[in-house]
Amino acid sequence: MADIFQVHEAARIRTGKYAGMVGTVTETRTDDAGKQTGVRVKMDGVFNGEPMTAHVWVKRSSVERNHGA
């Protein structure tokens, strides 16, 4: 069974500029076959010592469940 993210779930970014940041899933994308390909995550917090807010699309393979929350 595939691991599918739902809107309002917490997700941790695994790769890229925001690696390690945790946010809330606000939207998802699927391909024609119904496979989840992208997740939009909204993050609020501190990044590199500065307050930040970001709302970014990332590949489904670049996020994981936030087990620390």
Side-chain angles (χ1 to χ4, degrees):
M1 185 166 133
D3 188 22
I4 303 296
F5 279 89
Q6 301 293 323
V7 174
H8 303 296
E9 283 188 303
R12 179 182 308 271
I13 308 293
R14 295 175 16 157
T15 61
K17 178 180 179 180
Y18 298 111
M21 295 292 292
V22 176
T24 303
V25 175
T26 60
E27 201 172 343
T28 63
R29 284 186 185 155
T30 56
D31 62 11
D32 292 336
K35 182 179 176 186
Q36 195 172 57
T37 58
V39 178
R40 191 171 189 195
V41 180
K42 183 174 184 184
M43 300 167 284
D44 293 309
V46 177
F47 184 71
N48 291 335
E50 297 291 322
M52 60 77 80
T53 298
H55 202 187
V56 297
W57 279 103
V58 293
K59 291 181 183 178
R60 169 57 192 89
S61 60
S62 296
V63 293
E64 64 186 1
R65 300 222 177 266
N66 183 36
H67 296 291

